[in-house]
Amino acid sequence: MALIVQKYGGTSVGDPERIMNVAKRVVDTKRDGNQVVVVVSAMGGQTDKLINLAKEISKNPSDRELDMLVSTGEQISVALLAMAIHELGEDAISLTGAQVGIMTDDVHTKARILDIKPDKMQEQLALNKVVIVAGFQGINIQQDITTLGRGGSDTTAVALAAVLKADMCEIYTDVDGVYTADPRIVPNARKLKEITHEEMLEMASLGAKVLMSRSVEFANKYNVPLCVRSSFNRSEGTYIVKETNVMEQPVIRGVTADTSEAKVTLLHLPDQPGIAAKLFNLVAKYNINIDMIIQNVSEHGYTDISFTVNKNDVPKIKSILADLTQEVSARAINVNEDIAKISVVGIGMRSHSGVASKMFNLLAQAGINISMISTSEIKISCVIREGEAKQAVKVLHEGFELDKE
Ligand code: ADP
Ligand code: ASP
Ligand code: MG
């Protein structure tokens, strides 16, 4: 008997009819002779609705209370799915993150899973039940509810699959699998049969929200067999694997766009040892993740530093940097939210040169200006204006011929 973890995203459980559809798929899997653990997200749009509700009350709500609020979304969908499975004549039990013992650290709104107890789930599976777990949530050592960051139900699913040593973790969503680019932006994007953990991790961290990047990290670390499939049809999805056939290795596997970041610039900082350390120590103390960093050439003993952060962290950044600006007599802080990070990803880049110049040429031909660049062995990212993001993705997808096999 195989143990399968299935995760259904927000659109897949968006209304009662869709919840019944998910229930049928779960019951089919069970009746095929498998044990099934299901992770579900909040019904589509619910998490955003709850966050907006909080913003109507407070501009800078407490992270603990935000977690208390947004975790309710998943509690609704697990209960409804359990009822739907009961209607189909199978036994099922819904459980919150706390009931399962999903222990996390204290970093509210972006907590990391530290430990999960499999006992309760195993007990219920042994009673022939479908176990339904609320995605996205856990508890910290003080028993406070935490959440794992947007898209966190993917991480819940892979983490459960890891501790349960599941035979497969299936992520069911509203697209058929992982594509060479977001199929909503590039209609002729191609579905990938396979993608390596390394490439999927980059694509996920660079804006391909089909999987949360932490979930890919877990799958890689704990060897969880992972695939992405559609909850609306039976077509074969995409497998996330350790290695793909080297002979068929393309230079570029995919193109992504990330519009969730903002660029923060500190102007006219003294160009002295310790200034960058002071700045980024402060930012790290408040658990704000920094992405790209650029320091300008120093002029007359002064320099500018720019970095990118998640737009959600902008109010926090502004308030924590206000004092520092005064302390080091920097001239000002600029925040530009009108940015997008466009990236090309592929492990084939390791053995090919000229990818960066081709990317810059393609963007230049389209009249798109680049304001920041960063590279790693397997990706190149450019920051451009947000309004040009979709065009840039299309231009790169076509220029690198990703629609072709
Ligand atoms: P869920 O609610 O099921 O978790 P998400 O909205 O988080 O679904 O993720 C699925 C979406 O990811 C798709 O609808 C698609 O628009 C988007 N997406 C972005 N990049 C890609 C890609 N490279 N391949 C597939 N989907 C992608
Ligand atoms: N409901 C959460 C979100 O919208 C978690 C998830 O869907 O994975 O981000
Ligand atoms: Mg998601």
Side-chain angles (χ1 to χ4, degrees):
M1 191 190 282
L3 170 54
I4 298 177
V5 175
Q6 298 188 330
K7 178 256 168 176
Y8 292 90
T11 317
S12 309
V13 292
D15 59 38
E17 200 182 319
R18 288 183 173 178
I19 291 175
M20 279 315 297
N21 170 54
V22 167
K24 282 197 194 89
R25 296 186 72 126
V26 172
V27 166
D28 284 349
T29 312
K30 179 155 191 295
R31 290 183 180 162
D32 283 343
N34 303 294
Q35 290 187 314
V36 194
V37 173
V38 189
V39 173
V40 276
S41 295
M43 295 168 78
Q46 180 74 8
T47 309
D48 286 331
K49 217 182 271 171
L50 292 168
I51 292 172
N52 289 335
L53 207 53
K55 282 185 185 155
E56 279 185 39
I57 302 279
S58 161
K59 263 199 200 119
N60 202 1
S62 137
D63 286 342
R64 180 192 181 278
E65 302 309 330
L66 259 180
D67 277 352
M68 182 68 102
L69 177 71
V70 296
S71 61
T72 60
E74 271 69 14
Q75 207 168 319
I76 293 173
S77 39
V78 284
L80 291 174
L81 181 60
M83 294 172 197
I85 293 175
H86 295 161
E87 283 299 309
L88 298 176
E90 289 290 336
D91 207 354
I93 181 171
S94 65
L95 299 168
T96 63
Q99 285 175 309
V100 173
I102 301 181
M103 302 301 306
T104 74
D105 64 16
D106 286 335
V107 186
H108 283 290
T109 78
K110 42 191 164 192
R112 286 178 164 246
I113 297 175
L114 301 176
D115 186 37
I116 300 176
K117 307 258 176 298
D119 317 29
K120 175 113 182 177
M121 289 181 286
Q122 283 163 340
E123 227 169 71
Q124 298 297 321
L125 288 170
L127 294 171
N128 204 25
K129 291 184 194 173
V130 172
V131 174
I132 307 167
V133 180
F136 179 53
Q137 54 176 262
I139 46 165
N140 65 15
I141 196 136
Q142 288 87 32
Q143 310 270 312
D144 286 329
I145 296 176
T146 54
T147 63
L148 309 177
R150 297 308 302 268
S153 302
D154 299 334
T155 302
T156 307
V158 180
L160 293 185
V163 294
L164 292 165
K165 301 192 172 50
D167 297 283
M168 181 56 76
C169 180
E170 301 171 334
I171 305 291
Y172 285 94
T173 181
D174 54 7
V175 284
D176 292 355
V178 181
Y179 281 70
T180 46
D182 187 340
R184 288 178 208 281
I185 301 177
V186 184
N188 66 345
R190 204 165 35 83
K191 185 172 81 182
L192 300 165
K193 269 204 182 98
E194 292 184 333
I195 180 169
T196 62
H197 288 128
E198 224 180 338
E199 289 166 319
M200 190 65 239
L201 187 57
E202 284 287 4
M203 282 184 64
S205 350
L206 295 168
K209 72 170 187 161
V210 61
L211 279 178
M212 192 204 199
S213 59
R214 281 284 287 156
S215 71
V216 187
E217 265 176 62
F218 269 111
N220 188 28
K221 191 165 168 195
Y222 299 103
N223 295 311
V224 178
L226 177 64
C227 68
V228 176
R229 303 182 63 176
S230 165
S231 58
F232 301 115
N233 62 47
R234 303 269 169 179
S235 80
E236 205 174 355
T238 303
Y239 287 85
I240 327 297
V241 295
K242 287 257 177 256
E243 279 173 8
T244 53
N245 188 340
V246 183
M247 300 300 285
E248 290 167 17
Q249 198 72 298
V251 180
I252 304 296
R253 185 80 69 183
V255 183
T256 62
D258 184 356
T259 52
S260 68
E261 294 190 343
K263 178 174 158 187
V264 179
T265 306
L266 277 155
L267 292 169
H268 203 68
L269 284 165
D271 189 17
Q272 290 160 5
I275 296 286
K278 197 176 258 177
L279 166 62
F280 292 111
N281 283 343
L282 192 62
V283 173
K285 200 174 108 188
Y286 288 89
N287 293 307
I288 295 174
N289 297 324
I290 299 288
D291 185 28
M292 292 175 161
I293 302 175
I294 287 187
Q295 176 167 343
N296 279 355
V297 177
S298 152
E299 249 182 61
H300 314 297
Y302 289 91
T303 186
D304 306 331
I305 293 185
S306 296
F307 53 90
T308 57
V309 293
N310 193 290
K311 280 181 181 145
N312 295 333
D313 285 328
V314 165
K316 226 186 244 173
I317 271 277
K318 278 186 176 160
S319 79
I320 65 176
L321 291 189
D323 285 345
L324 180 86
T325 321
Q326 284 211 328
E327 187 189 326
V328 300
S329 25
R331 200 165 278 159
I333 317 171
N334 273 348
V335 177
N336 181 2
E337 300 207 14
D338 174 26
I339 64 160
K341 185 173 56 181
I342 307 299
S343 312
V344 295
V345 175
I347 48 183
M349 253 187 241
R350 285 192 179 124
S351 51
H352 276 80
S353 53
V355 178
S357 66
K358 184 164 177 179
M359 180 174 186
F360 304 154
N361 277 324
L362 288 166
L363 293 175
Q365 279 159 18
I368 296 170
N369 192 43
I370 302 170
S371 69
M372 292 170 109
I373 297 168
S374 86
T375 65
S376 81
E377 234 190 342
I378 68 161
K379 69 117 204 264
I380 301 165
S381 303
C382 297
V383 171
I384 62 170
R385 288 195 34 234
E386 183 170 350
E388 294 174 334
K390 287 190 176 149
Q391 190 200 353
V393 171
K394 284 184 193 146
V395 160
L396 295 174
H397 195 271
E398 198 182 329
F400 283 103
E401 301 187 349
L402 296 185
D403 54 326
K404 305 206 173 83
E405 196 71 59

